[in-house]
């Protein structure tokens, strides 16, 4: 997901890192799945790329 956002924004790992004030190695770890961004960072990344995320209850399918 982080890689997709980065590609939508047409920036390098270093460029994305600069936009959100983290190191390039942090972005690389997110992209390889070694670590994950905090929910607030993920929300910011999605917003920057013009995307949004919705959560749905597994049992009912209702958006929460």
């Amino acid at each position: 997901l982080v890689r997709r956002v980065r590609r939508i924004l047409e920036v390098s790992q270093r460029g994305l890192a600069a936009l959100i004030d983290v190191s390039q190695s942090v972005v690389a770890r997110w992209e390889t799945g070694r670590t994950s961004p905090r929910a607030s960072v993920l929300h910011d990344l999605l917003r920057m790329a013009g995307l949004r995320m919705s959560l749905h209850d597994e049992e009912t399918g209702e958006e929460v």
Side-chain angles (χ1 to χ4, degrees):
L1 184 57
V2 173
R3 182 175 288 130
R4 174 172 283 200
V5 166
R6 186 169 60 77
R7 288 183 176 160
I8 289 169
L9 296 175
E10 299 180 340
V11 295
S12 64
Q13 286 182 347
R14 188 176 306 271
L16 181 61
L19 288 173
I20 58 174
D21 199 29
V22 299
S23 70
Q24 179 271 328
S25 63
V26 168
V27 174
R29 287 194 302 266
W30 291 342
E31 288 190 7
T32 60
R34 289 187 7 214
T35 61
S36 298
R38 292 186 321 258
S40 61
V41 173
L42 184 57
H43 178 264
D44 290 343
L45 289 171
L46 293 172
R47 186 174 40 79
M48 289 169 57
L51 302 171
R52 67 181 186 152
M53 178 174 45
S54 62
L55 301 173
H56 297 265
D57 184 289
E58 190 172 296
E59 290 181 19
T60 65
E62 290 183 43
E63 188 170 353
V64 293

